[in-house]
Amino acid sequence: MTEPAGPREVRVSYFALLRDEAGCDEERVVTASATAGELYAELSDRYRFSLPPERLRVAVNAGFADWETALADGDLVVFIPPVAGG
């Protein structure tokens, strides 16, 4: 059974380029987005993120997830951009 549609409050963490584009490293967001992918699309519209979801990883509640992962009130969502190393 799917969770009923409606607003939920999630905590979102950003790293690297996304942190710069959002202007913060973490925020609480009230959203009607049902999935991690929908939330990224919503936030991308708000902050004009330059990275498409295909270039990112997403984690929900400390575990890697896919973009179709359903969100619940109180979840922690982390968007992880590619990391340059050396």
Side-chain angles (χ1 to χ4, degrees):
M1 179 170 246
T2 61
E3 184 169 324
R8 57 191 59 86
E9 183 177 300
V10 296
R11 199 169 43 145
V12 181
S13 290
Y14 306 103
F15 293 95
L17 178 61
L18 296 179
R19 178 182 54 225
D20 294 341
E21 292 176 344
C24 62
D25 57 1
E26 185 174 294
E27 67 178 327
R28 293 192 181 276
V29 176
V30 175
T31 182
S33 295
T35 66
E38 289 176 13
L39 178 62
Y40 185 74
E42 174 186 335
L43 295 171
S44 186
D45 284 345
R46 180 182 305 170
Y47 296 120
R48 300 289 199 218
F49 289 147
S50 59
L51 294 172
E54 299 80 30
R55 301 262 331 265
L56 305 172
R57 296 288 310 267
V58 62
V60 177
N61 298 326
F64 284 113
D66 63 46
W67 293 106
E68 297 305 313
T69 299
L71 299 178
D73 199 48
D75 280 349
L76 170 62
V77 182
V78 181
F79 298 116
I80 306 163
V83 177

